[in-house]
Structure formats: structure tokens, C-alpha cells
Amino acid sequence: MRTKSSAIAPTRIAVSGRPQATCGTLQAAAGVTAFSLTFPATAWGLEGFGPWSLVAVRTVLAALIAGACLLALRVPLPARQHWTGLAVVAGGVVFGFPLLTTLALETSTTAHAAVVVGLLPLTTAVMSALRIGTRPSRTFWVAALAGAVAVLAFTIQQSGGALTTADLYLFAALLVCAAGYTEGGRLAHVMAGWQVIGWALALCLPLTVPAAALALSYEPVQLTFHSVTGVLWVAAASQFLGLVVWYRGMAAIGIPKASQLQLAQPLLTLVWSVLLLGEHLTLAAPLTAAAVLVCIAVTQRARG
């Protein structure tokens, strides 16, 4: 009897592990899908909201959702020594990136923005190396530089030989978001990843509520199906719930496998820009996105 039970036990463990890995992959993929729809949803939101009111309203809605989750689960307040880090996350992920990309999308296509912001994993990797003090290999730096050059060449070619204001907004968005991601990754070692963005959102409510009221009083609002759907998506899915399933999936299948799924995000955004917005892609857009994808894969392999 002992021999029989010992033979069966490993089989049960192996079978039970497969659904967990599958569920983790699906959750991580759902997070990537949510993020890939951010720019098209923002473009929809701009059809009825001004850029400042759109960012303020999406932040307030996301903060209310995050605050409700934190209260429902009775999550204790973060320790005081973590507040500075949460402020960096808020400045980069809650305010900086949404505002700068929204301002860019007033004059830039979502396809163009998707290619430029596709450089974010490389920017975050470089920022993380500088912040933590690690010394990546020469291969890492060569691949990172190649990806940056590819995106810079694309932006200059698409802009007629010079960078536009929208390009400057996008490059600034890369820097502030990379700083927020880096600090959020550091904080994720002491609290759950979703709690990092949750507290960053919730602690900003005293600022975002009056900011939303002020912006709405100055910028006219036209409630349409597109504008309302766009705001709800970027608030609920892009800025909070997408991060929740992303972190849960990453915990289940590991950072390397989850990161491989995220490589498809810029290409997915290009698909949504065509299907949802009717944009016409030049050949340079998917080719540059694919080149950046290869560079990111090389940096991940070099870091691993």
C-alpha cells in the first residue's frame, strides 16, 4: 500500500501544477492585453475630454477602485519609510506617464506612440541598473543602445527629420515611468505588487480630486460612447486591475516568462490602432517594433 500511494502522490502534484501555470499565464496575458489597449482607449477618451481632465478623472476613478480593494482586504498602511518610494511611483506611474502620453496623443498617432513607448522595458532596465548599482554585461548595453537608436531613427524619420513636441512628451514619459517602475519593483520586495500601485493611487486622492474638479471646470466635456468607454478602461483596466492580474500572473509563472509575454505589447497596440481607430500603418512602425522586441529579448537574456 505504501508503494502504491507514493507512486500516485507525485502524479497528483504534477497535474495540479499545470492548471496553476496555465492560470498564471492567462492572468499575465490579460494584463498585457489591458496595457496594450491603453493608447487606443486614451485616444477615445480625448474625443470627449481635455487632456488634463482625462488624466485627473482616470486617476480619481482608479484611486477609488484601489482604495475600495485596500479597505475590503483591510490592508494596513505602509510603513513611513516607504512613503518616499510611493511618492516616486505616484509621480511616475500615476501622474507623469498618463499625463505626458495623453498630451502626446493629442497630436501623435497611437501607432507612433506605441513604437516609442515600446522602449520602456529597456529604459526601465537601464534605470534599474543605475538605481540598484548592478553592472550588466556589455551585451546588455549594446542591445539597449541598439533599441534606443532604432526608436530614435523611427521618430525622426516619421517626424520629417526633427523631433516633435509629441516625441519629447513620449521620451519624457519613458523616463518618469521607468523611475516609477524601478521604485515600485524595489517596494514590491516588502509589500504585494498590487498594493504598491494601490497605495500610490489612494494616497494621491487629496490632490487628484481637486485637480479633477479644476480641470473639468476649464475643459469642456462631451460624454459619448467612445469617451466614456475610454476613460473607464484607462482608469479601471490600465491603471489598476490590469496591474493586479499582471502581478498575480508574474508571481505564478515567474518574471522571465511573464516578461516574454510583455514583448508582444507594442505589436498588440499597433493591431488595436488599426482595428479600433482605423489608423494606417507605415512599414516602419511594425519593423521598428519588431527590432525593439529583439533588443529587449537580448537584454533579458543578458541579465538572466
Side-chain angles (χ1 to χ4, degrees):
M1 294 297 293
R2 291 181 182 176
T3 303
K4 184 177 180 180
S5 61
S6 62
I8 294 175
T11 304
R12 289 177 178 173
I13 294 174
V15 172
S16 63
R18 288 182 180 178
Q20 182 180 2
T22 302
C23 182
T25 301
L26 291 175
Q27 287 178 330
V32 171
T33 303
F35 302 150
S36 71
L37 280 160
T38 298
F39 285 172
T42 300
W44 274 11
L46 286 171
E47 293 180 13
F49 290 81
W52 296 90
S53 56
L54 173 59
V55 173
V57 169
R58 70 176 275 184
T59 305
V60 169
L61 292 176
L64 292 175
I65 297 172
C69 292
L70 292 169
L71 286 175
L73 297 175
R74 298 181 180 180
V75 179
L77 282 170
R80 182 165 295 182
Q81 65 264 28
H82 301 318
W83 288 7
T84 301
L86 288 172
V88 175
V89 175
V93 179
V94 175
F95 286 115
F97 186 79
L99 177 60
L100 291 167
T101 53
T102 299
L103 291 173
L105 286 172
E106 282 196 295
T107 56
S108 172
T109 65
T110 59
H112 181 93
V115 174
V116 176
V117 177
L119 199 62
L120 182 58
L122 290 179
T123 310
T124 303
V126 172
M127 189 77 71
S128 178
L130 296 175
R131 175 72 171 84
I132 300 174
T134 57
R135 295 183 177 180
S137 66
R138 182 178 299 178
T139 302
F140 171 90
W141 291 114
V142 170
L145 181 61
V149 169
V151 169
L152 184 61
F154 170 80
T155 55
I156 292 176
Q157 185 269 332
Q158 292 288 297
S159 304
L163 295 178
T164 65
T165 302
D167 293 326
L168 296 179
Y169 282 141
L170 291 171
F171 284 121
L174 285 174
L175 295 178
V176 298
C177 190
Y181 277 176
T182 299
E183 198 63 24
R186 188 186 67 82
L187 289 173
H189 290 291
V190 295
M191 65 179 76
W194 75 269
Q195 293 178 21
V196 175
I197 187 63
W199 281 118
L201 285 164
L203 295 176
C204 287
L205 269 175
L207 296 176
T208 54
V209 170
L214 181 63
L216 288 171
S217 67
Y218 279 94
E219 294 180 338
V221 175
Q222 184 178 1
L223 299 180
T224 64
F225 173 77
H226 276 185
S227 63
V228 173
T229 302
V231 170
L232 291 178
W233 184 270
V234 293
S238 301
Q239 199 147 11
F240 183 66
L241 297 179
L243 286 167
V244 172
V245 294
W246 167 250
Y247 281 123
R248 286 176 63 88
M250 189 165 53
I253 65 176
I255 295 176
K257 289 184 178 180
S259 298
Q260 289 174 9
L261 293 175
Q262 198 174 26
L263 296 179
Q265 185 175 322
L267 296 175
L268 278 175
T269 301
L270 294 181
V271 173
W272 301 133
S273 69
V274 174
L275 296 179
L276 299 179
L277 304 175
E279 293 184 359
H280 298 284
L281 300 182
T282 63
L283 184 60
L287 288 180
T288 304
V292 172
L293 186 152
V294 172
C295 293
I296 295 172
V298 173
T299 58
Q300 288 186 343
R301 190 176 185 87
R303 294 177 77 194

